[in-house]
Amino acid sequence: MSPWHKNLLMTNHVDLHTHSTASDGSYRPAEVVHLAKDAGLRAMALTDHDTTDGLAEALAAGAELGVEVIPGVEISTRHVGDSMHILGYFLDFHSGKLAERLAVLKQARKDRNPKIIAKLNALGLAITMEQVERISGGGQVGRPHIARVLLERGYVRTMQQAFDIYLKNGGKAYVAKFRFPPAEALEMIREAGGVPVLAHPFTLGLGSLGALRDLLRDLQALGLAGIETFYAEHTPEQEALYLKLAQELGLLVTGGSDFHGDNKPEVTLGNIRSRNRLTYDLVTALKAWRKKEYGLV
Ligand code: AMP
Ligand code: ZN
Ligand code: FE
Ligand code: FE
């Protein structure tokens, strides 16, 4: 096919939240980029949990296929009762400081997973760390992989049930994991030249608009640049609310599907519930912010 034909197939659509086998997605980084190409996406960000290990492969695939791949990450931070996810975009992922901090999180996972398995074993669910590692595809191991093994071995009927009964905070086999406070995640992203964005705010379980506004103000004072407004599971009302808050506070808006492949089969690349189109202007705004904030050309 000629390049001219390829251009015809390319749209102005983007997806700024995706996972690969480097964390808990089911496709390799290059495969995610291929899927983005097939979906006609102009740009995508790979935002694996607590790791940049998939970025080199994704960027190489992007260069080959003509998809703009934005190097990203999604860091789980400490938040009352549960965790708060912070996305980072346009990272210099060769930054030694970032790698050093992410290594701390990698170790925390390594310490935690065998403890979860031991708890499950004590409950009579005979699964092993080897089975979980095999299903993870070689990247970091997390609870979704454990959930998949529980599903495949017939101990639960769905991955969600694995979380609800055993793996969620408060579940029978839950083990807490070390997390940095949000301020530290914001700092490590900024130190690597990245743009920090609060991921899927609805998961924070904040009851009121005022509570979310206060939280955003606090995070903004610590360096937060944006809020993930468009998201697979956000309702149109939530979308409108986050958009309004972003405008009021002067925050960037971003959006993505949180694609995990077969580990979250209901979510497809480039698509969100409201059917609002995620377009390239989101990327343009991220770039402009970076230029202004860091004085880059
Ligand atoms: P981990 O990185 O091991 O803490 O696993 C975090 C991932 O597990 C999240 O990104 C979600 O994909 C998934 N997860 C966490 N809590 C739940 C839940 N209550 N129900 C379903 N999936 C969950
Ligand atoms: Zn995930
Ligand atoms: Fe997340
Ligand atoms: Fe995610």
Side-chain angles (χ1 to χ4, degrees):
M1 194 186 277
S2 71
W4 184 78
H5 275 103
K6 276 188 188 161
N7 284 341
L8 266 187
L9 294 172
M10 195 161 82
T11 65
N12 204 34
H13 302 153
V14 303
D15 190 334
L16 303 181
H17 192 154
T18 71
H19 296 269
S20 74
T21 49
S23 65
D24 57 355
S26 70
Y27 293 100
R28 289 198 57 82
E31 289 174 327
V32 179
V33 181
H34 268 94
L35 291 170
K37 173 78 180 176
D38 292 347
L41 299 187
R42 178 174 171 188
M44 60 154 275
L46 185 67
T47 53
D48 274 307
H49 298 285
D50 302 334
T51 184
T52 58
D53 289 350
L55 295 179
E57 181 182 316
L59 286 169
E64 189 190 312
L65 298 172
V67 176
E68 184 176 343
V69 174
I70 296 158
V73 73
E74 181 177 20
I75 301 175
S76 304
T77 69
R78 203 182 299 158
H79 178 65
V80 262
D82 208 6
S83 91
M84 177 194 295
H85 290 183
I86 296 180
L87 295 154
Y89 292 111
F90 290 104
L91 296 171
D92 169 11
F93 59 98
H94 300 294
S95 153
K97 259 203 165 141
L98 180 67
E100 201 178 281
R101 299 258 179 81
L102 293 179
V104 173
L105 300 179
K106 199 176 261 185
Q107 190 57 46
R109 267 174 201 286
K110 281 204 181 120
D111 294 342
R112 175 209 215 188
N113 291 321
K115 290 183 189 162
I116 299 178
I117 308 277
K119 278 196 170 182
L120 290 168
N121 292 164
L123 290 163
L125 289 76
I127 70 164
T128 66
M129 196 58 211
E130 288 69 38
Q131 290 163 346
V132 176
E133 269 163 6
R134 207 173 314 131
I135 224 157
S136 77
Q140 305 218 78
V141 174
R143 286 177 292 167
H145 303 119
I146 299 175
R148 255 192 102 168
V149 173
L150 289 175
L151 177 65
E152 291 190 2
R153 305 238 106 204
Y155 289 119
V156 291
R157 273 178 286 110
T158 60
M159 300 240 320
Q160 189 56 52
Q161 196 179 39
F163 271 94
D164 290 343
I165 303 176
Y166 301 107
L167 301 174
K168 71 170 189 201
N169 190 350
K172 288 182 184 171
Y174 181 75
V175 176
K177 179 179 69 182
F178 169 81
R179 302 174 201 277
F180 288 120
E184 204 140 339
L186 296 169
E187 193 193 308
M188 62 205 253
I189 290 166
R190 294 178 69 108
E191 253 173 21
V195 189
V197 172
L198 177 66
H200 43 65
F202 81 104
T203 58
L204 296 171
L206 293 170
S208 72
L209 172 66
L212 179 58
R213 185 189 282 116
D214 289 348
L215 175 74
L216 285 169
R217 281 218 177 97
D218 290 347
L219 292 173
Q220 202 173 11
L222 296 167
L224 186 79
I227 172 170
E228 188 174 50
T229 300
F230 307 104
Y231 184 75
E233 292 157 59
H234 284 171
T235 63
E237 292 73 27
Q238 283 168 330
E239 236 179 58
L241 174 68
Y242 303 147
L243 202 52
K244 184 175 154 254
L245 279 173
Q247 276 160 357
E248 182 190 323
L249 300 175
L251 288 164
L252 294 168
V253 301
T254 69
S257 66
D258 211 355
F259 178 72
H260 281 72
D262 300 338
N263 291 335
K264 220 182 193 184
E266 68 284 6
V267 173
T268 53
L269 203 58
N271 291 307
I272 57 170
R273 181 169 157 186
S274 72
R275 298 279 147 216
N276 257 336
R277 279 304 183 182
L278 306 167
T279 49
Y280 194 80
D281 50 299
L282 302 176
V283 177
T284 307
L286 285 172
K287 287 181 176 173
W289 182 92
R290 246 183 123 232
K291 198 167 157 185
K292 187 159 163 262
E293 191 76 12
Y294 301 133
L296 301 168
V297 284

